[in-house]
Amino acid sequence: MASFVCRIQYLEDSDPFICTNFPEPRRPPTVSVEENLPLSEQIAGIHKLLEAPLKLEECTLQLASNGNYLDLDSSLSEQRDELDTFYEDVAKGKKPILILRTQLSVRVHGILEKLFNSQGPELRRSLFSLKQLFQDDKDLVPEFVASEGLSCFIKVGAEADHNYQNYILRALSQIMLFVDGMNGVINHNETVQWLYTLTGSVKLWSYLMEVLEERNGSDTELLMFTMTLINKGVKCERVSVCERVKCESVNCECVNCDRVNCERVNV
């Protein structure tokens, strides 16, 4: 049975709000990983060798080279199509680094639990940290959306003061940079309605316009989702999307607009 020599480290991220992002140990030990054996049958040995302060049942493996998470129920060979970088490193004689860390679902549950159960300064610090958390690990975004994270934002935002709401908007701005995140916001009517209640500050709409202008058409899917979100928000008061966000100055197509004067947009 073929095997690969890999270097291994762990990341103490059981509390996502105090994760250091510096894997240990600094000099990673090596381990042989069987190519055709499910990783779920090998992770216990990796956990034991590292003496990691993480719960084994909550652990997963991540490639250090590109941040991709491995499917523990599958072997390396069964995931080969998603592991180009890994196999390229092996072919070059390198020893890929595998990071033992807490599963995404567990970390998202920890985030939601902290937001629901915190108050005062602790809640403020947690909300403020969210944007950086989503920046550091893009895979948290789809997991957060799928785990009713947006509903958590609505509940916390409805009970919070203006400063706390600004922190939530910061986190949402990061979420909406990803297609999964933007799509999740669009399809979550409560979030759209809550965002509409904050339009007096025009902060949200200014951000969305920045997304449209900065992308320069490089991510068509994200642009379309952004315009859909704008149209949904504007529909709340029956104001033409072109009048509201001046989309005639943006190189994009208008989506689902119900006003005659928005039928043509420069493409």
Side-chain angles (χ1 to χ4, degrees):
M1 183 179 293
S3 63
F4 303 121
V5 176
C6 299
R7 291 172 291 168
I8 53 173
Q9 294 176 301
Y10 71 85
L11 191 62
E12 169 52 295
D13 61 354
S14 52
D15 184 341
F17 289 100
I18 60 174
C19 177
T20 64
N21 288 326
F22 294 109
E24 297 287 346
R26 297 301 174 87
R27 294 184 177 180
T30 59
V31 66
S32 292
V33 180
E34 300 293 338
E35 183 181 21
N36 298 309
L37 191 65
L39 293 171
S40 58
E41 299 181 23
Q42 306 184 66
I43 193 170
I46 294 174
H47 183 276
K48 182 177 181 179
L49 179 61
L50 287 171
E51 298 182 345
L54 302 170
K55 295 180 180 179
L56 176 59
E57 64 274 15
E58 296 180 352
C59 286
T60 189
L61 292 170
Q62 182 184 34
L63 289 179
S65 57
N66 56 16
N68 288 349
Y69 288 85
L70 301 177
D71 180 2
L72 297 186
D73 293 328
S74 304
S75 65
L76 290 174
S77 61
E78 291 171 329
Q79 304 174 64
R80 182 158 190 158
D81 290 343
E82 292 86 41
L83 299 179
D84 290 341
T85 303
F86 178 90
Y87 277 93
E88 287 173 3
D89 286 345
V90 170
K92 294 176 182 177
K94 297 181 180 179
K95 300 174 183 177
I97 298 179
L98 303 180
I99 306 294
L100 184 77
R101 63 180 309 176
T102 305
Q103 297 171 15
L104 286 167
S105 59
V106 176
R107 289 156 59 203
V108 167
H109 177 76
I111 291 172
L112 297 178
E113 187 175 32
K114 177 66 73 69
L115 296 180
F116 277 129
N117 298 323
S118 299
Q119 296 179 0
E122 184 179 11
L123 177 59
R124 183 172 64 251
R125 285 193 297 270
S126 298
L127 290 173
F128 182 80
S129 301
L130 284 177
K131 182 176 182 178
Q132 189 63 49
L133 288 178
F134 295 138
Q135 283 180 337
D136 291 341
D137 193 342
K138 66 183 187 304
D139 291 291
L140 274 177
V141 170
E143 188 69 33
F144 184 83
V145 171
S147 301
E148 300 297 325
L150 296 177
S151 295
C152 174
F153 276 169
I154 301 308
K155 184 178 186 303
V156 174
E159 301 172 355
D161 63 24
H162 179 69
N163 290 328
Y164 288 27
Q165 291 173 349
N166 283 340
Y167 295 148
I168 294 175
L169 282 176
R170 288 177 73 253
L172 277 173
S173 73
Q174 187 64 34
I175 287 175
M176 290 189 293
L177 286 177
F178 302 97
V179 170
D180 288 337
M182 179 66 80
N183 198 26
V185 171
I186 289 172
N187 292 320
H188 196 261
N189 288 333
E190 286 181 310
T191 299
V192 175
Q193 292 167 6
W194 181 73
L195 290 173
Y196 175 71
T197 66
L198 304 179
T199 55
S201 67
V202 298
K203 184 171 296 186
L204 168 69
W205 306 112
S206 297
Y207 165 72
L208 291 175
M209 288 306 298
E210 288 176 7
V211 171
L212 293 174
E213 291 169 352
E214 290 177 2
R215 291 289 163 162
N216 294 321
S218 61
D219 192 335
T220 304
E221 191 172 14
L222 183 58
L223 290 175
M224 295 295 286
F225 282 143
T226 303
M227 287 306 304
T228 301
L229 178 59
I230 291 173
N231 286 333
K232 276 196 169 189
V234 172
K235 271 187 176 182
C236 293
E237 62 175 351
R238 294 299 183 187
V239 175
S240 164
V241 69
C242 285
E243 296 171 353
R244 187 62 177 268
V245 298
K246 300 179 181 177
C247 71
E248 69 271 14
S249 64
V250 182
N251 295 324
C252 61
E253 268 189 58
C254 206
V255 184
N256 294 331
C257 189
D258 58 356
R259 284 301 188 88
V260 174
N261 65 342
C262 194
E263 288 181 353
R264 296 189 62 187
V265 180
N266 294 328
V267 179

